[in-house]
Amino acid sequence: PKARSAAAALRRLNSAVQYVPYRGALGPRSALRLVRQYDIVADCSDNVPTRYLVSDACVLAGKPLVSGSALRLEGQLVVYNYRGGPCYRCLFPQPPPPDTVTNCADGGVLGVVTGIIGCMQALEVLKIASGMGSSFNQQMLMFDALEGRFRNIKLRPKKPDCAVCGDNPSVTCLQDYEAFCGSSATDKCRTLQLLPSQDRISVQQYKELLDEQVPHVLLDVRPQVEVDICRLEHAVHIPLSKLEEKNEESLRYLQKRICEEKQRTDDQTSLPVYVVCKLGNDSQKAVKILQELPAKEFGSVLAKDIKGGLMAWATKIDSTFPQY
């Protein structure tokens, strides 16, 4: 467990400090009791529900929150609920749609970036604890590792109508944050349900279609860097980003492949286009885009996504297929 691993590593660095690891997920029932025991809280979580939970708990307990985050090559640092500064809800009153959120498990993160942001968090904790105050209770620190640049963004002040820290708060106790955010409080890979069941097939069903040589197009919508790791040889590759921006070259290429495959049929039925990605999340987004393509140009296309993506294929169909 991360908590025990961190405590063990810190004891080796400084045995004079008392470290108390809590094994288990933080939830609405335990958060306020834990937060009240400490003077300063550092949020190092990797999901939206936990960020709302920790921030609300700190407001209700009257504790400053040193919040850090990192994704890919970028990092952020803010201090919430400190010396009249805003809380997390002041900046983000409503959670983003769950299908728009990328976490580290899905998007990746460079470990050096988390180390830099973590050290900056530790510095702010020490400054607050020593009475020096924080530099980031009214500003957000943005770190771009690719450019090697730091910049500060001035934050809007505390909102008088904030649901938790405002003049007349409506949030007076901790709630179900997974329901509030529509996503799980975990840093593991997400499983989204964006399509009805009739627009999805399992990897076992797709394997049967392959074995029966049913005419179709398999569309792989992963980024090129993932396709370079592994792919199904017969798949057509168009990144989701190209579909989202309606890239003309990519759409013409897809139209060409659909027409070529339709020549194998009697042209009387809809040609199936099955969409695959790593986990079955981006493929659902791609299916929604394909369903809106003009029939005049693409003909009658029946788009479905493959549940669980290529990682389900590796687990359930082909054990030699690389997992990453």
Side-chain angles (χ1 to χ4, degrees):
K2 290 182 179 179
R4 290 185 179 179
S5 175
L10 291 168
R11 287 191 191 100
R12 290 193 295 269
L13 292 172
N14 188 345
S15 60
V17 175
Q18 181 185 6
Y19 305 98
V20 184
Y22 296 93
R23 182 178 179 179
L26 190 70
R29 292 184 177 182
S30 60
L32 197 54
R33 173 176 53 84
L34 291 175
V35 166
R36 282 175 172 155
Q37 298 179 48
Y38 299 93
D39 297 312
I40 308 164
V41 176
D43 181 2
C44 314
S45 61
D46 186 27
N47 63 85
V48 178
T50 301
R51 291 194 177 276
Y52 277 101
L53 167 63
V54 174
S55 177
D56 286 1
C58 285
V59 172
L60 296 177
K63 309 292 183 179
L65 174 62
V66 183
S67 179
S69 63
L71 182 68
R72 300 188 178 116
L73 292 168
E74 298 178 346
Q76 299 178 2
L77 174 68
V78 189
V79 176
Y80 295 112
N81 196 45
Y82 182 63
R83 292 186 176 177
C87 74
Y88 187 72
R89 279 189 191 252
C90 289
L91 271 62
F92 309 104
Q94 296 296 326
D99 59 310
T100 66
V101 178
T102 301
N103 61 20
C104 293
D106 291 335
V109 64
L110 190 62
V112 178
V113 177
T114 59
I116 291 169
I117 297 299
C119 286
M120 296 293 292
Q121 276 185 275
L123 176 60
E124 293 310 301
V125 169
L126 291 171
K127 287 163 63 179
I128 294 171
S130 66
M132 296 172 63
S134 173
S135 307
F136 301 108
N137 60 315
Q138 296 282 355
Q139 298 191 66
M140 175 183 290
L141 174 72
M142 305 284 290
F143 173 55
D144 184 335
L146 187 62
E147 298 292 334
R149 293 180 180 174
F150 289 93
R151 63 191 180 105
N152 291 357
I153 297 177
K154 186 176 181 179
L155 300 178
R156 65 173 68 102
K158 178 178 177 179
K159 293 180 63 177
D161 60 346
C162 176
V164 66
C165 75
D167 298 335
N168 297 291
S170 58
V171 176
T172 56
C173 61
L174 301 181
Q175 55 187 258
D176 185 341
Y177 291 88
E178 291 186 334
F180 175 64
C181 297
S183 59
S184 299
T186 175
D187 62 355
K188 306 303 179 187
C189 292
R190 303 164 299 152
T191 301
L192 301 178
Q193 182 70 42
L194 307 178
L195 296 174
S197 58
Q198 63 264 27
D199 289 343
R200 313 191 73 190
I201 66 169
S202 67
V203 288
Q204 294 92 334
Q205 290 173 310
Y206 181 69
K207 180 64 164 58
E208 292 176 4
L209 294 171
L210 278 182
D211 293 341
E212 295 170 5
Q213 297 185 341
V214 175
H216 72 280
V217 170
L218 177 65
L219 177 61
D220 188 335
V221 296
R222 295 175 298 155
Q224 183 64 51
V225 65
E226 295 186 33
V227 175
D228 291 340
I229 297 172
C230 57
R231 64 178 297 177
L232 294 176
E233 291 300 324
H234 62 286
V236 175
H237 174 235
I238 299 176
L240 175 63
S241 59
K242 296 291 186 181
L243 294 177
E244 290 176 329
E245 65 189 32
K246 301 294 192 296
N247 180 268
E248 292 185 5
E249 182 180 352
S250 298
L251 291 178
R252 282 197 301 269
Y253 175 57
L254 177 61
Q255 183 183 19
K256 176 185 175 184
R257 292 301 300 267
I258 290 174
C259 290
E260 291 174 351
E261 194 64 24
K262 284 203 75 170
Q263 293 177 0
R264 296 179 54 199
T265 71
D266 56 9
D267 283 335
Q268 300 297 317
T269 59
S270 299
L271 180 77
V273 176
Y274 298 107
V275 187
V276 71
C277 63
K278 178 183 178 182
L279 299 168
N281 294 331
D282 284 350
S283 58
Q284 295 182 73
K285 300 177 187 178
V287 166
K288 287 188 172 184
I289 296 172
L290 295 179
Q291 290 173 339
E292 297 174 356
L293 292 177
K296 182 178 179 181
E297 298 177 24
F298 289 86
S300 182
V301 174
L302 180 64
K304 294 188 177 184
D305 103 291
I306 299 176
K307 291 185 289 188
L310 290 173
M311 295 304 95
W313 179 269
T315 302
K316 300 176 181 178
I317 305 298
D318 183 3
S319 61
T320 66
F321 194 85
Q323 297 192 46
Y324 62 98

